[in-house]
């Protein structure tokens, strides 16, 4: 039963009691039952308000950053340091307050972890810039990640965990054969593993778990590839694919819809197709180990499809089609993909339209997954525009703030509509 | 983990990170206040750092020769070395004359590490505001061609801080 039915039932209870269909005790029991059931249901509207709130905050913060950046050269080193340190010190205090007063409030913990982690990283970046300190982006991220790792564990923050994973992907893809760096990267990977595994297993049906699955896939692949001293190529994808399939099988005992299994299958199938294509062109040989491992994987796939009824496994056909398609049109139409028109207009249009449609559909159907993806597409679009702004910072900053304010207004109106529908004042 | 322990760990971690950040400020301020300034001839170009913005990537003029000398000397990877600085009295331009394993008793030097095939230079980038990056890159390239691109560095007890980049007599960042 959905929330609407429970609400209708609650509304009907006094009438039913008045007509003598239900006695007082039964009416109370039914009333309590409905309230309990409704309390355990996901609060879709709250989620939307939270997402819009985060989105609006991001836009306003982005706008403020752009305006500061516009005036940056006119400020002294002291002012630069103040801009770096002050938010960090305030964030530390706010984080401590959250740990003391609201240790069980998920929203407060997530926000505090993000703010403390972000302000810490920006303080280090500002100091590095002020004194022109030596060091690559990878060095910078390694210092920040050590700090973030502790914050993630202390605040149990999912959002910072995901940011950590993305930065880790950057770090691990840039490492060389420097032993201390390899040791640090390994420790960073091992440090985040318990958190990610907990997130995947704690409730495999949540989108949080599914996002963690994809993130895990990203960092585990890069980590594996770099640590085995290979570049990302077909043979290294086989064991990684096996790892995903095994973990996916393990998860599918708890949850039929998991992403690791299809992703593992996609990787293996892609790998298989690429090797076959290479073989057809006479570029590489197919070794006996390769044949054996792929036959085993195909058996594994057949088992998953047959026993677990994991229909997403059919997604494995997509890369196959993609590769075949690429080979058919590669010579004639590759200029379309390379064209700047494609990226500037088509890709951005798809992102924006996709984001808005998903948000709308998600709201209508009360689906968090759709809304999350919609927000994700829009955030990606905003971030890419933020990082590639070619115009005036001050104008761009004002546009960002204006969009943020609009998002807040939409949030307020939605909240008002929801309250009205619920009969609240 | 109980609330108090969590809070204590949080405070310790935040303080440790603050110390790491502040140590950079402290050392740089010491070098600026008490250190001596040197001008080195440099060359370079203008890439972009996605997290930290635009910067000029540069290198010191005789860096390759010193890297080759280090390889010939068979230093161990990760070994601490000292770059000795000499200044030409006529032009007032400094350069790294040689590398040594022993801590120099007099004269200016910079502490560096041997990376297996050369030395990571003490500085290799100069951050610059994005809106000025294109013009700065143009001025910088012209100065490199005229051999008039310099890095002004303050050194104190082997710790160096980059003060500014000069194209001829003009500093790249004015304030």
């Amino acid at each position: 039963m959905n929330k609407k039915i429970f609400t209708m039932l609650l509304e009907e209870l006094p009438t039913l009691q008045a007509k003598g269909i239900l006695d007082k005790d039964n009416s109370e029991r039914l009333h309590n039952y409905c309230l309990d059931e409704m309390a355990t249901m996901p609060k879709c509207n709250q989620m939307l308000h939270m997402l819009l709130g985060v989105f609006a905050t991001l836009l306003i913060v982005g706008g403020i950053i752009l305006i500061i950046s516009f005036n940056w050269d006119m400020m002294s080193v002291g002012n630069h340091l103040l801009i770096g340190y002050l938010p960090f010190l305030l964030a530390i205090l706010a984080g401590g307050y959250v740990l003391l007063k609201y240790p069980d409030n998920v929203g407060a913990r997530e926000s505090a972890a993000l703010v403390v982690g972000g302000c810490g990283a920006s303080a280090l970046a500002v100091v590095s810039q002020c004194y022109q300190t030596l060091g690559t982006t990878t060095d910078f991220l390694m210092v920040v990640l050590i700090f973030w790792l502790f914050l993630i564990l202390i605040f149990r923050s999912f959002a910072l965990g995901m940011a950590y994973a993305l930065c880790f992907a950057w770090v691990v893809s840039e490492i060389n054969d420097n032993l201390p760096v390899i040791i640090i990267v390994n420790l960073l990977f091992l440090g985040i593993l318990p958190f990610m595994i907990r997130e995947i297993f704690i409730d495999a049906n949540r989108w949080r778990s599914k996002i963690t699955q994809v993130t895990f896939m990203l960092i585990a692949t890069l980590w594996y590839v770099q640590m085995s001293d290979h570049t990302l190529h077909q043979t290294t994808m086989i064991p990684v694919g096996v790892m995903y399939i095994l973990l996916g099988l393990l998860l599918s005992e708890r949850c039929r819809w998991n992403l690791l299994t299809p992703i593992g299958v996609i990787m293996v199938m892609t790998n298989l197709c690429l090797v076959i294509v290479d073989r057809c062109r006479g570029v590489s040989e197919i070794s006996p180990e390769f044949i054996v491992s792929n036959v085993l994987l195909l058996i594994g796939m057949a088992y998953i499809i047959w026993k677990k009824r994991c229909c997403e496994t059919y997604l494995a056909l997509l890369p196959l089609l993609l590769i075949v398609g690429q080979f058919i049109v590669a010579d004639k139409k590759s200029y379309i993909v390379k064209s700047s028109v494609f990226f500037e207009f088509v890709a951005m249009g798809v992102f924006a339209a996709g984001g808005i449609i998903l948000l709308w559909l998600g709201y209508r159907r009360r689906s968090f997954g759709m809304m999350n993806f919609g927000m994700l597409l829009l955030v990606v679009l905003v971030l890419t525009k933020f990082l590639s702004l070619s115009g005036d910072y001050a104008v761009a900053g004002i546009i960002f703030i204006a969009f943020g304010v609009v998002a807040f207004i939409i949030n307020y109106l939605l909240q008002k509509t929801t309250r009205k529908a619920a009969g609240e004042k | 983990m109980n609330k108090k322990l969590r809070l204590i760990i949080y405070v310790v971690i935040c303080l440790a990170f603050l110390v790491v950040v502040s140590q950079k400020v402290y050392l740089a301020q010491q070098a600026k206040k008490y250190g001596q300034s040197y001008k080195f001839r440099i060359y370079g170009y203008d890439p972009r750092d996605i997290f930290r913005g635009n910067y000029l990537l540069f290198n010191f003029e005789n860096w390759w020769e010193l890297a080759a000398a280090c390889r010939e000397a068979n230093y161990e990877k990760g070994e601490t070395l000292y770059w000795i600085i000499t200044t030409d009295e006529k032009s007032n331009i400094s350069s790294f004359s040689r590398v040594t394993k022993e801590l120099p008793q007099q004269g200016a030097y910079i502490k560096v590490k041997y990376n297996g095939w050369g030395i990571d230079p003490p500085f290799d980038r100069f951050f610059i505001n994005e809106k000025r990056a294109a013009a700065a890159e143009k001025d910088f390239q012209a100065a490199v061609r005229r051999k008039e691109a310099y890095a002004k560095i303050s050194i104190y007890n082997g710790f160096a801080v980059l003060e500014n980049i000069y194209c001829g007599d003009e500093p790249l960042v004015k304030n």
Side-chain angles (χ1 to χ4, degrees):
Chain A
M1 278 204 283
N2 64 29
K3 208 170 182 173
K4 265 185 189 169
I5 297 171
F6 282 117
T7 317
M8 278 170 62
L9 193 56
L10 277 174
E11 283 168 3
E12 287 298 313
L13 280 178
T15 321
L16 293 171
Q17 202 183 327
K19 286 183 179 173
I21 299 167
L22 284 172
D23 60 27
K24 200 182 170 189
D25 286 349
N26 279 332
S27 174
E28 260 177 31
R29 272 205 294 275
L30 207 52
H31 180 85
N32 291 338
Y33 168 74
C34 287
L35 288 182
D36 286 349
E37 284 297 308
M38 283 168 76
T40 55
M41 283 182 174
K43 289 167 185 161
C44 180
N45 288 330
Q46 276 182 18
M47 174 72 90
L48 182 70
H49 296 315
M50 194 185 85
L51 289 174
L52 269 171
V54 170
F55 192 53
T57 311
L58 280 175
L59 284 169
I60 289 177
V61 169
I64 292 168
I65 289 172
L66 287 172
I67 289 173
I68 290 175
S69 180
F70 180 74
N71 295 302
W72 190 252
D73 275 2
M74 285 158 246
M75 297 177 194
S76 64
V77 174
N79 283 335
H80 290 170
L81 290 178
L82 189 72
I83 288 172
Y85 268 94
L86 193 64
F88 185 38
L89 293 173
L90 291 175
I92 291 174
L93 291 178
Y97 184 74
V98 166
L99 282 178
L100 262 180
K101 294 280 177 187
Y102 306 104
D104 298 321
N105 185 328
V106 180
R109 274 195 281 115
E110 291 284 350
S111 312
L114 274 178
V115 171
V116 178
C119 289
S122 80
L124 184 61
V126 167
V127 168
S128 302
Q129 238 197 42
C130 283
Y131 296 105
Q132 313 290 346
T133 325
L134 180 77
T136 60
T137 306
T138 311
D139 299 334
F140 166 78
L141 285 178
M142 272 202 291
V143 177
V144 169
L145 286 186
I146 293 169
F147 179 52
W148 281 9
L149 183 59
F150 287 100
L151 290 183
I152 291 163
L153 299 175
I154 290 168
F155 286 99
R156 289 165 283 155
S157 166
F158 172 74
L160 195 63
M162 294 303 103
Y164 176 100
L166 288 177
C167 293
F168 178 82
W170 179 299
V171 169
V172 83
S173 61
E174 292 279 320
I175 59 165
N176 48 30
D177 61 347
N178 190 344
L179 189 62
V181 174
I182 290 174
I183 291 170
I184 292 172
V185 167
N186 274 312
L187 288 176
L188 286 173
F189 183 67
L190 291 175
I192 198 70
L193 266 189
F195 170 80
M196 297 199 88
I197 290 170
R198 183 180 164 272
E199 282 296 326
I200 290 174
F201 278 83
I202 200 164
D203 180 0
N205 278 315
R206 287 187 310 178
W207 272 97
R208 197 167 148 150
S209 163
K210 295 182 197 310
I211 293 169
T212 316
Q213 289 174 32
V214 179
T215 317
F216 170 80
M217 175 204 72
L218 172 76
I219 68 166
T221 309
L222 284 169
W223 172 79
Y224 174 85
V225 168
Q226 291 300 96
M227 289 306 143
S228 56
D229 202 21
H230 287 94
T231 51
L232 197 69
H233 62 70
Q234 297 140 13
T235 44
T236 46
M237 296 303 263
I238 298 173
V240 178
V242 174
M243 191 165 76
Y244 295 153
I245 290 175
L246 288 176
L247 196 52
L249 275 173
L250 205 61
L251 280 165
S252 56
E253 291 293 341
R254 300 162 60 98
C255 161
R256 195 178 68 84
W257 211 109
N258 77 80
L259 284 171
L260 282 169
T261 308
I263 285 167
V265 174
I266 287 168
M267 286 170 72
V268 173
M269 286 297 286
T270 312
N271 163 47
L272 191 66
C273 296
L274 286 170
V275 173
I276 290 168
V277 169
D278 277 0
R279 175 66 183 150
C280 294
R281 290 166 151 193
V283 178
S284 65
E285 294 292 320
I286 300 178
S287 64
E289 308 93 83
F290 174 79
I291 295 170
V292 172
S293 60
N294 276 285
V295 166
L296 285 174
L297 286 168
L298 285 172
I299 294 169
M301 271 170 60
Y303 175 79
I304 295 163
I305 295 168
W306 185 250
K307 284 280 179 191
K308 304 287 173 190
R309 299 183 187 281
C310 182
C311 58
E312 297 82 10
T313 311
Y314 295 112
L315 284 172
L317 292 175
L318 283 177
L320 184 73
L321 290 173
L322 196 73
I323 290 164
V324 173
Q326 265 185 351
F327 275 91
I328 294 168
V329 298
D331 296 323
K332 293 174 193 165
K333 303 232 171 127
S334 57
Y335 68 89
I336 295 175
V337 180
K338 284 176 191 164
S339 158
S340 59
V341 176
F342 177 83
F343 282 110
E344 282 300 315
F345 295 100
V346 181
M348 269 174 54
V350 167
F351 264 69
I356 292 163
I357 291 168
L358 279 170
L359 256 180
W360 177 245
L361 283 177
Y363 179 63
R364 291 285 298 272
R365 294 180 186 178
R366 305 289 188 266
S367 160
F368 311 131
M370 273 190 186
M371 285 196 293
N372 274 344
F373 266 132
M375 289 303 291
L376 189 69
L377 289 182
L378 291 178
V379 168
V380 167
L381 192 65
V382 169
L383 275 177
T384 49
K385 292 315 290 170
F386 186 75
L387 293 171
S388 64
L389 282 172
S390 50
D392 195 310
Y393 276 3
V395 176
I398 290 164
I399 292 171
F400 265 62
I401 292 172
F403 270 113
V405 171
V406 170
F408 268 131
I409 293 169
I410 294 171
N411 201 8
Y412 169 74
L413 290 174
L414 279 171
Q415 237 167 355
K416 210 175 157 186
T417 319
T418 317
R419 277 187 195 152
K420 212 173 174 183
E424 288 174 28
K425 278 187 183 177
Chain B
M1 211 190 302
N2 72 35
K3 207 158 92 174
K4 267 189 184 172
L5 184 64
R6 200 181 285 270
L7 192 69
I8 290 167
I9 296 173
Y10 170 72
V11 170
V12 171
I13 295 302
C14 286
L15 283 178
F17 192 73
L18 263 176
V19 169
V20 170
V21 177
S22 305
Q23 192 202 20
K24 283 182 176 226
V25 179
Y26 174 75
L27 288 172
Q29 286 296 353
Q30 289 279 99
K32 272 190 170 178
K33 204 169 175 186
Y34 305 114
Q36 200 177 336
S37 291
Y38 298 88
K39 252 173 133 179
F40 293 86
R41 196 168 275 137
I42 53 169
Y43 63 93
Y45 63 100
D46 173 29
R48 191 169 191 276
D49 183 319
I50 193 162
F51 293 105
R52 291 174 291 178
N54 279 66
Y55 61 91
L56 291 173
L57 193 69
F58 65 86
N59 208 341
F60 296 94
E61 206 178 44
N62 59 341
W63 182 84
W64 287 103
E65 292 138 46
L66 283 169
C70 288
R71 281 196 296 274
E72 277 170 25
N74 281 331
Y75 291 122
E76 277 182 36
K77 195 175 170 183
E79 197 168 356
T80 303
L81 302 171
Y82 302 93
W83 271 17
I84 311 291
I85 296 164
T86 51
T87 307
D88 182 71
E89 282 179 9
K90 263 189 187 172
S91 61
N92 205 24
I93 303 295
S94 304
S95 62
F96 295 106
S97 58
R98 65 192 170 87
V99 179
T100 171
K101 259 170 85 167
E102 288 78 36
L103 177 70
Q105 296 305 311
Q106 55 183 10
Y109 64 90
I110 294 178
K111 209 194 277 187
V112 287
K113 279 213 159 83
Y114 182 58
N115 62 20
W117 57 275
I119 290 168
D120 293 324
F123 303 101
D124 65 356
R125 64 195 61 201
F126 186 77
F127 288 97
I128 196 150
N129 196 304
E130 193 165 354
K131 62 179 186 279
R132 283 171 56 177
E137 156 81 346
K138 210 172 152 190
D139 293 347
F140 182 65
Q141 287 302 339
V144 168
R145 280 194 292 276
R146 295 196 309 270
K147 293 206 163 190
E148 283 180 1
Y150 307 106
K152 192 179 175 191
I153 291 172
S154 282
I155 301 170
Y156 180 67
N157 280 346
F159 183 83
V161 61
L162 177 62
E163 286 188 24
N164 215 331
I165 297 274
Y166 284 80
C167 301
D169 291 331
E170 279 292 304
L172 220 53
V173 174
K174 299 251 161 55
N175 56 347

